[in-house]
Structure formats: C-alpha cells, structure tokens
Amino acid sequence: MYPIDVTITKIIEETPSTRTFVFDRNFDEAIAGQFVMVWIRGVDEIPMGLSSKNSITVQKVGDATEKMFALKEGDTLGIRGPFGKGFTLPDKDEKILLIAGGVGTVPLALLAEYASSTGVCMSTILGARNADELLFVDHFTSCGELHLTTDDGSAHRCGFVTDILAETDIKAYDRIYTCGPEMMMKAIFGMLEKEDALEKTEFSLHRYFKCGIGVCGACCMDKKGLRVCKDGPVFNGLQLIDSEFGNYMRGPSGNKKQF
Ligand SMILES: Cc1cc2nc3c(=O)[nH]c(=O)nc-3n(C[C@H](O)[C@H](O)[C@H](O)COP(=O)(O)OP(=O)(O)OC[C@H]3O[C@@H](n4cnc5c(N)ncnc54)[C@H](O)[C@@H]3O)c2cc1C
C-alpha cells in the first residue's frame, strides 16, 4: 500500500498540453484501463492510467499536474497500484472498435498495443480539440480503419467522434471500448443504447478519487453506489443505465456538481 519510488528516465512532449513520463519500473501485471495512484511529493496523490507498462501520459489541468510538468529526468515519483478493473481483453478472432477523446486516448493506447501484439483487428475513432492535441495517432494504425476528428476542423474531419460513430456499422464489431470526456461518452452511450449495443461496450470513467482502493467513498455513483475506483474505472454499458454517469459529477469531497 506504500508508494513505490520510481525515477523518471525520459519525458516526451506529446502535445502542447500533454507529456509522457517514462520511468525505470515496468508494471507488467497492469491491464489496459487499470490505473495507478501517483504521489507527487509536496502536492497530492492523483489517479493516472498507464500509457505503457512503464509510463504515464499527463495533461496539465491543475496543481498536481502542473507540478509534474516542472519535474525533470532523474526526479522521482511514488506509485501505488495498478488498481481497479481494466478492459476485458478481446479474443484473437474478435473485431473491436475503440472510441477515444482527448486524454482518454491514454488507456486505449495500451489496449491498442495489446490488440496489435495479439493480431486482433481493431478500428479506431480518435478525437481532439484541435490538430495539435491529437494524441498517440501512430498507436492505432496497425490494423483496421482509423478515423480522426478535430472539434475546430484544424485537421481531418471537423466535428466529434460521434459524427463518425453515426456512420459506423456497429453490428460489425464484437466489442466496443471508449474513454474520454464524460459528456462525449454519454453521447456515445445514448447512441449505443438505441442500437442495443451497451452489453458489448465498455466505458472507462475519469472521476475524482481519493484513496483509489474503494474505502473512502468519494467516487461512489448513484444509484447503485458503484465505486469508480474499485468497481471500475471500466464499466460495462449495462452497469451505467439509470446511474449518475453523464448526469452530474462529483467534487473533491464527493459533493454533486453539474457538468
Ligand atoms: C481512472 C483515472 C485515470 C486517469 N488517467 C489520466 C491520464 O492517463 N492522464 C491524465 O492526464 N489524467 C488522467 N486522469 C485525470 C487526472 O487524475 C486529473 O486530471 C488529475 O487528478 C488532476 O489533478 P490536478 O491537481 O492537476 O488538478 P485539480 O486542481 O485537482 O483539478 C483541475 C481540473 O480538473 C478536474 N479534475 C480533477 N481531477 C479529475 C478527475 N479525476 N477526473 C476528471 N476531472 C478531474 C477538476 O474538476 C478541475 O476542473 C485520470 C483519472 C482517473 C479517475
């Protein structure tokens, strides 16, 4: 339960707001979609998905992530985990669809690595605010189709990942995986519910955590009380029916917040 000390060996600037921190320890046991708790000394401990077995990819949004951006190669971090429920790994003969938005691309990049190494056929719909913020595009090119969208039309298709999804033959896929802003995933949820495809879809949620191990209750979701850190962060679509997902968020102390 104590954080393991890791040393940053390499820092890669992926986009203007996102950096990858490679460290000197492999978390080989991690399944795509699981997360680690990252202890940034003097500031906070925050959840992060693994972008590879020995890296995290961080978007600068507030105090802790800003402090991370000040770190240099040779500095250390504390890591607990991996924790939580990851994605159900596809069988070799299954056809899968990945739908990623913004920094939600991180856990899907690790899933794509698995799919490529096992010969699973994968198509991807990848979206970002603008051309500069498109993340890990080269991770998704090994098999199947790759569709790219930008909100502002600065590259590729102008619009949202849901525009491409609306033109996609959902029945052609055995499994669908998604991670991104919750409002994006809520729109995807609505589309797939109409297609009766929630059962084959998994959603990876980014919500506030404190403990990361299912004790503090900060990430409990109405109505069933599912804990995002322990019962998730990856949920099957059926689990999210009639829940707070997409309807309201939680603040740091678990209080309800509107999107
Ligand atoms: C399972 C999981 C995996 C994650 N993986 C990644 C990842 O791979 N890369 C990455 O960059 N981020 C990831 N996040 C989000 C990351 O934990 C937050 O961005 C981080 O905690 C923000 O800390 P801060 O102190 O910099 O910002 P704060 O000052 O705490 O917050 C800044 C802003 O970000 C929002 N915010 C804070 N924490 C979260 C959160 N957990 N979810 C959604 N919004 C939040 C706040 O509402 C506020 O608007 C993940 C979150 C979870 C739960």
Side-chain angles (χ1 to χ4, degrees), residues 7-8 52 55 93 104 130 135 154 179 200 217:
T7 302
I8 298 167
S52 76
S55 67
D93 57 352
N130 57 52
L135 192 58
S154 48
C179 188
K200 63 178 179 182

Side-chain angles (χ1 to χ4, degrees), residues 46 110 145 161 198 204 232-233:
I46 56 172
L110 192 55
E145 296 166 18
V161 292
L198 287 182
S204 180

Side-chain angles (χ1 to χ4, degrees), residues 35 44 46-49 57-59 61-66 103 106-107 205-209 233 249 257:
F35 65 93
D44 204 354
I46 56 172
M48 284 287 154
T57 298
V58 180
Q59 186 173 48
V61 293
D63 290 351
T65 48
E66 198 167 317
V103 78
V106 171
L205 271 54
H206 280 188
R207 289 276 183 127
Y208 260 112
F209 290 174
M249 294 277 297
K257 270 175 47 174

Side-chain angles (χ1 to χ4, degrees), residues 13-230:
E13 188 146 344
E14 306 283 1
T15 77
S17 73
T18 316
R19 283 184 192 168
T20 293
F21 297 83
V22 182
F23 30 74
D24 62 348
R25 189 186 188 284
N26 273 27
F27 292 86
D28 288 321
E29 69 278 31
I31 295 168
Q34 286 190 300
F35 65 93
V36 291
M37 295 300 290
V38 182
W39 175 236
I40 302 137
R41 291 187 169 82
V43 191
D44 204 354
E45 190 187 41
I46 56 172
M48 284 287 154
L50 287 163
S51 51
S52 76
K53 297 284 180 175
N54 67 335
S55 67
I56 52 176
T57 298
V58 180
Q59 186 173 48
K60 186 162 69 168
V61 293
D63 290 351
T65 48
E66 198 167 317
K67 178 71 192 284
M68 280 206 72
F69 270 51
L71 296 177
K72 308 249 174 335
E73 290 170 7
D75 287 339
T76 60
L77 293 165
I79 303 255
R80 287 191 295 134
F83 295 129
K85 188 177 159 292
F87 292 114
T88 307
L89 297 176
D91 291 334
K92 200 170 184 277
D93 57 352
E94 286 182 320
K95 213 174 156 202
I96 66 171
L97 175 65
L98 314 186
I99 313 168
V103 78
T105 308
V106 171
L108 293 176
L110 192 55
L111 184 64
E113 194 181 304
Y114 173 86
S116 302
S117 68
T118 53
V120 172
C121 192
M122 147 189 94
S123 290
T124 307
I125 310 173
L126 185 57
R129 278 195 300 262
N130 57 52
D132 291 342
E133 290 295 339
L134 278 166
L135 192 58
F136 292 147
V137 173
D138 57 345
H139 285 55
F140 298 96
T141 51
S142 62
C143 170
E145 296 166 18
L146 172 63
H147 301 275
L148 302 173
T149 66
T150 51
D151 299 0
D152 67 356
S154 48
H156 310 284
R157 168 94 169 248
C158 177
F160 302 119
V161 292
T162 43
D163 298 331
I164 305 281
L165 184 63
E167 298 162 6
T168 301
D169 178 13
I170 288 164
K171 291 191 179 57
Y173 296 96
D174 300 298
R175 291 182 185 277
I176 303 172
Y177 304 89
T178 183
C179 188
E182 196 159 313
M183 293 320 286
M184 176 199 102
M185 291 199 288
K186 178 68 177 176
I188 291 169
F189 181 94
M191 293 169 76
L192 297 180
E193 191 173 31
K194 278 193 195 126
E195 296 281 338
D196 207 13
L198 287 182
E199 196 174 354
K200 63 178 179 182
T201 307
E202 292 187 339
F203 296 77
S204 180
L205 271 54
H206 280 188
R207 289 276 183 127
Y208 260 112
F209 290 174
K210 291 287 184 202
C211 70
I213 53 171
V215 175
C216 75
C219 64
C220 281
M221 287 199 302
D222 286 335
K223 295 178 177 172
K224 294 181 193 148
L226 290 170
R227 297 157 299 177
V228 177
C229 70
K230 183 83 176 175

